[in-house]
Amino acid sequence: MSIFIDKFFANITKLIAFSILLLVAWIFTILFEYSLESIKAFGFLFITEDKWAPNLEKFGALPAIYGSVVSTFLAMILAVPIAIGVAIFLSEIAHAKLKATVGVSIELLAAIPSVVYGMWGLFYFVPIIRDIFGGIGISMLSAGIVLSIMILPFMAAVTRDAMNTTPDILKESAYALGSTKWNVVKDIIIPYAKAGIIGSFILALGRAIGETMAVTFVMGNVHKISTDLTQPATSIPVTLANEFAEANSTLYYSSLFELSLLLLVVSFTIISIAKFYFLRRRKAL
Amino acid sequence: MTYTQKRIIINKAVMTLSTLCAIIGMGFLFWILSVLVINGIDALSANIFLNEGAPPGNDQGGLKHALIGQLYLVGYASIFGVPLGILAGTYLSEYSQKSKIAEVVRDISDIMMSAPSIVIGAFVYAVVVTPMGHFSGWAGSIALTIIMLPIILRTTDDMLQLVPSTLREAAFALGAPKYKVIIQVVYRGAKAGILTGILLGVARVAGETAPLLFTSFNDNFLNTDMMQPMASLTVTMYNYASSPYEDWQQLGWAAAFILSMFILTLNILGRLFLLKKRGKH
């Protein structure tokens, strides 16, 4: 009896564990299957065409791709230096008590849902952008900044963890030779933790590109490519969030599924690069 | 200026800059928190918990429908996601013997943890909403389950591996079958860790909005039928906040406040469990 239960338990856990692989394969297959109509209709033009006109059954993803790339790029430019600064502060400057308090609050802020960041952005940040830069405030610029604030806690916490892996003996040796704190950070900690730091940035990039709610509030969902950052724009997740429940033709749906597939492939690739090239030894928690 | 002076000045400058970064970062983040608390407390009233959604303008609207819908959606997602995640994690830690394919399951789960959740929504739309013909609570719960699964799986896996193998060996030596060793010894040893994983997993999906937009959709009234579209705090927050009506926006802030406090509490509880566990060893 006991042997039977033993076998059963072993097999059921195995089945569930492997079903994760099936699930992921199923997700890719379904998204591809549902994209087929759009792929057949537009082919490669889907990603190079800049017209998105549901009423004319014309779907070009270029404005959404452009918006995703620019808003993510903007967010990274703003968040990376601040995240490094916060991480240096947390790992090298702050006293033990401050380190714990600031560290924990940063981690807790990373847990606040992105829809809350979006709501704050709409009511408190967009008006400031409007006052400074004119226009309606709902814009690529607002989206980039809100996104950078949204990913900052995550980046800072992971970068700090990477920096904290530097063995004390290395730092102490450098201090014993008369190094300043900055020398230690620049010549010991950053080189030692380089892979982890870069990995955390790429991981944050992967998250930022798929982040939906923080930007949906403040970006506008306007399918137009503009180099003026104060103009409303759209991105892949913003388009999906705004239009999925309202699409009214199979080709429209299919185009949205192709956008989802595109987003999944891109973020899967980015996260895999972070994981396999830079974060090999990192644990999940 | 001597070389030493230069080094000291550069050091001071960089350290000041870092501290400034920390102040800027914390400043932004506490700005958001204080906005949340001030608006949230301002909007809280008994009506919020007693009334369902109402048309804008009459000040009678509440969030009862969204709170109960949220409980249903997250509750069912946990009922599916937690046991499945724990069992899958158990396989990786206890049975897989470091096989290649188990390593692949681990890697894929890690990647899925960071994958865009809105894509999961699109997938569930295709496999649940389309065949059913309409949005439903089940579709929302299934989307949340898929998001929760890899989180619970990986934390369980990590936590079980922290249980010393001598404990397992001692139980085996007494003649216990493997499933009993796992359930009565390994799970017990990793209790605090698994609980932490569950709390963090639930906290994570409780804040999800994007995958619910086109699975459970929304409903402005109380609905407890999982076959029908269902309100959630997050989607209600999104709809109310982006509406032009001031009383709806107020309700949106109340929803944001309640949800954030709930999620922060789960996170803090999770941390406390982990701390308690570390203290024991």
Side-chain angles (χ1 to χ4, degrees), chain A:
Chain A
M1 186 62 198
S2 185
I3 294 175
F4 175 74
I5 302 179
D6 219 22
K7 269 238 159 81
F8 179 74
F9 192 69
N11 283 323
I12 202 94
T13 57
K14 190 174 183 174
L15 188 77
I16 298 169
F18 290 164
S19 64
I20 303 272
L21 300 181
L22 287 181
L23 178 68
V24 173
W26 193 22
I27 294 175
F28 273 100
T29 321
I30 286 284
L31 292 184
F32 181 71
E33 203 181 295
Y34 277 70
S35 309
L36 264 181
E37 193 180 328
S38 149
I39 294 172
K40 274 188 194 138
F42 306 113
F44 210 69
L45 273 176
F46 186 71
I47 51 175
T48 52
E49 168 66 46
D50 68 348
K51 215 177 213 102
W52 180 274
N55 50 339
L56 305 173
E57 296 265 287
K58 260 185 94 89
F59 299 99
L62 194 61
I65 296 171
Y66 173 79
S68 281
V69 171
V70 174
S71 63
T72 306
F73 185 66
L74 210 59
M76 292 302 287
I77 289 183
L78 294 170
V80 163
I82 299 184
I84 295 179
V86 176
I88 294 176
F89 177 80
L90 283 177
S91 70
E92 297 305 309
I93 302 177
H95 295 290
K97 263 217 171 116
L98 197 59
K99 197 181 281 193
T101 322
V102 178
V104 168
S105 40
I106 290 237
E107 278 168 28
L108 287 180
L109 288 161
I112 293 208
S114 67
V115 62
V116 172
Y117 285 93
M119 201 170 159
W120 164 82
L122 179 64
F123 286 104
Y124 289 84
F125 194 72
V126 163
I128 293 176
I129 293 290
R130 181 171 53 216
D131 290 345
I132 299 176
F133 297 98
I136 53 168
I138 288 182
S139 60
M140 184 81 94
L141 185 64
S142 304
I145 299 176
V146 169
L147 196 52
S148 76
I149 294 166
M150 157 90 209
I151 59 172
L152 177 66
F154 173 75
M155 276 172 104
V158 186
T159 309
R160 175 207 54 191
D161 290 346
M163 286 184 171
N164 278 346
T165 58
T166 318
D168 283 338
I169 188 122
L170 286 183
K171 292 193 258 176
E172 282 155 17
S173 315
Y175 281 125
L177 292 173
S179 300
T180 62
K181 251 183 192 157
W182 168 235
N183 294 142
V184 173
V185 168
K186 180 172 62 109
D187 298 325
I188 307 289
I189 296 178
I190 290 182
Y192 185 88
K194 197 167 66 189
I197 295 173
I198 297 174
S200 79
F201 291 162
I202 299 178
L203 203 57
L205 177 75
R207 287 197 164 195
I209 212 154
E211 177 48 55
T212 309
M213 300 319 292
V215 286
T216 297
F217 278 99
V218 300
M219 207 166 194
N221 197 30
V222 172
H223 288 269
K224 230 184 211 153
I225 296 177
S226 167
T227 49
D228 182 354
L229 292 181
T230 62
Q231 289 300 309
T234 194
S235 73
I236 295 177
V238 169
T239 305
L240 291 173
N242 276 304
E243 301 180 27
F244 213 105
E246 281 153 22
N248 50 14
S249 76
T250 53
L251 187 60
Y252 196 173
Y253 267 122
S254 189
S255 305
L256 291 171
F257 273 108
E258 195 175 346
L259 279 185
S260 317
L261 181 64
L262 218 62
L263 182 63
L264 184 61
V265 170
V266 168
S267 75
F268 222 83
T269 313
I270 294 175
I271 299 161
S272 306
I273 291 172
K275 195 174 149 43
F276 294 118
Y277 285 93
F278 298 102
L279 301 172
R280 207 51 274 207
R281 289 159 301 163
R282 225 175 68 81
K283 287 255 173 178
L285 253 185

Side-chain angles (χ1 to χ4, degrees), chain B residues 185-244:
Chain B
V185 178
V186 181
Y187 281 169
R188 200 166 287 174
K191 207 167 54 187
I194 295 178
L195 199 56
T196 302
I198 294 173
L199 290 176
L200 296 182
V202 173
R204 165 74 197 279
V205 299
E208 283 294 348
T209 316
L212 297 180
L213 287 174
F214 34 87
T215 53
S216 59
F217 199 59
N218 200 15
D219 188 337
N220 210 14
F221 300 99
L222 183 63
N223 166 39
T224 53
D225 180 1
M226 290 289 282
M227 292 299 284
Q228 296 303 320
M230 192 176 264
S232 57
L233 272 179
T234 49
V235 177
T236 302
M237 191 191 306
Y238 172 61
N239 286 343
Y240 280 9
S242 40
S243 81

Side-chain angles (χ1 to χ4, degrees), chain A residues 6 107 124 178 182 253 267, chain B residues 7 11 39 110 116 125 179 271:
Chain A
D6 219 22
E107 278 168 28
Y124 289 84
W182 168 235
Y253 267 122
S267 75
Chain B
R7 286 179 59 215
N11 181 53
N39 282 307
D110 280 353
Y125 181 89
Y179 80 93
R271 257 155 238 281

Side-chain angles (χ1 to χ4, degrees), chain B residues 6-230:
Chain B
K6 203 173 132 199
R7 286 179 59 215
I8 292 174
I9 289 173
I10 291 179
N11 181 53
K12 276 237 164 86
V14 176
M15 293 305 129
T16 314
L17 269 178
S18 297
T19 312
L20 207 65
C21 282
I23 293 171
I24 293 173
M26 296 300 283
F28 262 112
L29 299 165
F30 280 103
W31 180 14
I32 295 167
L33 265 194
S34 55
V35 158
L36 189 63
V37 171
I38 292 168
N39 282 307
I41 289 182
D42 217 32
L44 278 187
S45 69
N47 271 351
I48 300 266
F49 299 97
L50 297 175
N51 291 1
E52 297 173 28
N58 64 6
D59 278 330
Q60 288 302 307
L63 292 170
K64 188 175 152 200
H65 61 301
L67 286 163
I68 291 179
Q70 180 87 11
L71 284 182
Y72 269 82
L73 292 171
V74 176
Y76 275 111
S78 312
I79 290 174
F80 303 131
V82 168
L84 290 176
I86 289 181
L87 288 175
T90 304
Y91 173 77
L92 293 185
S93 160
E94 305 299 311
Y95 289 104
S96 72
Q97 263 120 31
K98 303 211 156 76
S99 69
K100 269 261 159 58
I101 183 133
E103 219 22 72
V104 176
V105 171
R106 254 185 212 123
D107 290 336
I108 293 285
S109 302
D110 280 353
I111 295 173
M112 283 309 285
M113 271 165 68
S114 300
S117 58
I118 195 162
V119 172
I120 306 294
F123 166 71
V124 173
Y125 181 89
V127 297
V128 183
V129 177
T130 310
M132 272 178 91
H134 55 84
F135 302 112
S136 69
W138 285 123
S141 266
I142 291 169
L144 296 185
T145 304
I146 296 175
I147 293 163
M148 189 192 276
L149 193 55
I151 305 173
I152 308 268
L153 181 157
R154 290 294 284 124
T155 47
T156 306
D157 179 20
D158 283 350
M159 291 304 163
L160 295 188
Q161 287 187 30
L162 291 179
V163 176
S165 53
T166 46
L167 272 183
R168 292 185 187 91
E169 284 156 19
F172 279 130
L174 293 172
K178 190 157 187 176
Y179 80 93
K180 272 202 174 149
V181 174
I182 292 172
I183 293 172
Q184 296 185 350
V185 178
V186 181
Y187 281 169
R188 200 166 287 174
K191 207 167 54 187
I194 295 178
L195 199 56
T196 302
I198 294 173
L199 290 176
L200 296 182
V202 173
R204 165 74 197 279
V205 299
E208 283 294 348
T209 316
L212 297 180
L213 287 174
F214 34 87
T215 53
S216 59
F217 199 59
N218 200 15
D219 188 337
N220 210 14
F221 300 99
L222 183 63
N223 166 39
T224 53
D225 180 1
M226 290 289 282
M227 292 299 284
Q228 296 303 320
M230 192 176 264

